[in-house]
Amino acid sequence: MPDDRQPPAWPPPGLDVSKPTIARAYDALLGGGNNFAADRELANYACEHIPGLRESALENRKVLVRGIRHLAGEAGIDQFVDLGSGLPTAQNTHEVARALNPRARVAYVDIDPLVHLQGRAILAGDDDTTVVTADVREPETVLRHPDVTRMIDFDRPAALMLVGMLHYLSPEIAGPVVAAYRDALAPGSHLFITSLVDTGLPAQRELARITRETLGEGWARTPDEIERYFGDFQLVEPGVVYTALWRPDGPVDPGDLTPGERLGMAGIARKKR
Ligand code: SAM
């Protein structure tokens, strides 16, 4: 029987490493080890053109941690569907959630097969997590996937995370797709979104353009547009704001945000009972 805990051969057989992927380029931005030359080249190219891009990726990870702490703590959520979860990195969703609720269950979903390979290697033997390879643009497939339904009881409140993910969904697709996920959630559930934002700064649109050109999808949205993806869910304080301003651990002056801190916004909203 194969031992899942062994790290996969590197690069894993059958994996096309000649072209960058979103997950691996983001891993390269974060300084991780799950990437290849093409991904590092793209990450470096994007950093040369977008001031503060690396910092923005790190900010996104930080708000992910603060958001999960709110969800697993104050909001009492014990099941998480992490859509576009990315490659394993420091402070994965299950680790942050379990620090507050040891029984937290997590379904990780990502389109990149390397996420499944690396995730399983790390999570083998953990019966309260699953890693599924699927396209978030197909909500029916994701929501009915046997590994997802084994892990998540959609009749109970859950957190659905689209963290660093919404900007890879084109405008035509994002509306109905996010609505389908909202509809599948029980009252008391939460939706957690972070996204590349468009507040009129050239770097935001340039990042969307570079991402679209090199990775196929990349869309910056206005704060109002991001807010609309929450539908009739109730935004928790402080609403949709730059990630560094979403419940920061210490005081942050909105006037002092760096260019990197002005690339993304975050928000969490709750489905009414
Ligand atoms: N959520 C993590 C975070 O915020 O740190 C990772 C964000 S990373 C920028 C975006 C992730 O979304 C990548 O891992 C990528 O493979 C995944 N992704 C992009 N489009 C997707 C799709 N259509 N279906 C599933 N995953 C997708």
Side-chain angles (χ1 to χ4, degrees):
M1 197 138 133
D3 183 350
D4 268 358
R5 284 163 302 187
Q6 293 301 320
W10 199 254
L15 201 72
D16 180 3
V17 300
S18 66
K19 294 188 202 79
T21 71
I22 297 168
R24 301 171 212 170
Y26 180 68
D27 181 71
L29 265 185
L30 290 172
N34 290 308
N35 53 74
F36 303 94
D39 309 301
R40 293 189 284 277
E41 207 174 292
L42 171 56
N44 289 336
Y45 170 81
C47 284
E48 278 165 24
H49 286 77
I50 310 292
L53 178 57
R54 211 174 290 278
E55 182 193 4
S56 156
L58 292 167
E59 281 299 329
N60 185 62
R61 287 302 303 179
K62 286 190 206 162
V63 80
L64 176 141
V65 170
R66 298 198 299 276
I68 297 171
R69 280 192 192 132
H70 164 75
L71 292 165
E74 205 176 314
I77 297 289
D78 63 0
Q79 33 176 16
F80 295 77
V81 187
D82 190 347
L83 299 178
S85 55
L87 284 151
T89 182
Q91 296 197 286
N92 291 304
T93 296
H94 70 284
E95 294 167 321
V96 182
R98 284 192 195 153
L100 286 139
N101 183 344
R103 291 195 313 277
R105 293 161 76 81
V106 180
Y108 291 104
V109 179
D110 203 284
I111 203 166
D112 193 318
L114 187 61
V115 172
H116 180 261
L117 278 173
Q118 297 297 72
R120 275 333 312 162
I122 289 172
L123 296 170
D126 183 333
D127 294 337
D128 288 332
T129 57
T130 188
V131 189
V132 171
T133 303
D135 190 333
V136 166
R137 291 169 294 191
E138 296 168 7
E140 286 300 306
T141 308
V142 171
L143 293 165
R144 289 189 186 165
H145 193 291
D147 288 345
V148 173
T149 53
R150 183 173 51 80
M151 196 55 55
I152 307 293
D153 175 359
F154 285 100
D155 291 332
R156 290 202 306 112
L160 194 117
M161 300 166 55
L162 285 163
V163 175
M165 167 66 220
L166 186 66
H167 45 256
Y168 300 112
L169 302 180
S170 69
E172 313 80 65
I173 285 178
V177 161
V178 181
Y181 286 115
R182 283 198 312 266
D183 288 349
L185 295 171
S189 294
H190 288 65
L191 177 59
F192 180 11
I193 292 177
T194 76
S195 172
L196 175 58
V197 73
D198 181 355
T199 58
L201 300 176
Q204 299 161 338
R205 291 177 191 175
E206 181 63 359
L207 177 55
R209 189 191 64 74
I210 290 178
T211 310
R212 238 181 356 259
E213 266 180 27
T214 54
L215 294 166
E217 300 282 4
W219 311 90
R221 294 184 161 94
T222 66
D224 279 352
E225 284 169 341
I226 295 173
E227 209 168 311
R228 280 203 282 278
Y229 288 103
F230 290 102
D232 65 355
F233 285 24
Q234 282 172 329
L235 280 165
V236 304
E237 285 299 320
V240 174
V241 293
Y242 284 121
T243 51
L245 300 177
W246 199 93
R247 303 197 181 197
D249 289 330
V252 178
D253 184 341
D256 282 348
L257 294 184
T258 61
E261 288 172 336
R262 292 176 195 272
L263 289 174
M265 285 201 173
I268 292 183
R270 181 175 177 281
K271 188 164 183 169
K272 291 177 238 167
R273 294 216 180 258

